[in-house]
Amino acid sequence: MQKQMKPMTEVILKHKERQSVVEFATMLEAIAQKLKENGEFTFIQGTEQTVVGPTEPLKIEYSYTKKGDKHSFEIEFDWYTGTQAPKKMTIE
């Protein structure tokens, strides 16, 4: 039995900045609107563009943690493409 090698993690985009609650909400609305209209959204940093185009089904994770005075709320969504895409079961 051969052991399969796990693929290396490739960081496509990592960005941090300070925003007001309204700025952050506006960004979330823009992402949601683009996903509804086009099924994808694009991050633009200077001249670099990163297209995020999730496929169905999505696995969504929400997390809210508190450590002392620091609160953290995270939204993460994962999807698979290619051979890792989940297969649907059918009955004939």
Side-chain angles (χ1 to χ4, degrees):
M1 193 161 127
Q2 275 188 319
K3 187 176 180 181
Q4 285 188 321
M5 299 286 287
K6 289 187 178 184
M8 298 267 304
T9 299
E10 178 184 0
V11 177
I12 307 294
L13 172 80
K14 188 164 187 167
H15 177 79
K16 292 182 181 182
E17 71 177 77
R18 293 193 181 272
Q19 294 182 333
S20 70
V21 172
V22 172
E23 288 170 323
F24 176 62
T26 301
M27 178 76 77
L28 288 176
E29 288 171 335
I31 290 170
Q33 190 64 39
K34 292 292 185 181
L35 283 172
K36 284 180 186 178
E37 291 172 359
N38 307 322
E40 65 183 33
F41 57 95
T42 304
F43 276 106
I44 301 171
Q45 293 178 295
T47 59
E48 267 188 59
Q49 295 187 6
T50 304
V51 177
V52 179
T55 57
E56 307 235 14
L58 296 175
K59 181 184 95 177
I60 312 297
E61 184 177 325
Y62 302 95
S63 173
Y64 177 41
T65 57
K66 179 182 173 194
K67 184 176 183 179
D69 290 340
K70 180 184 175 186
H71 295 252
S72 180
F73 183 80
E74 297 178 24
I75 302 170
E76 177 181 324
F77 56 99
D78 300 321
W79 66 94
Y80 292 92
T81 58
T83 59
Q84 293 297 314
K87 307 272 188 286
K88 298 244 183 209
M89 185 179 87
T90 59
I91 298 174
E92 296 181 6

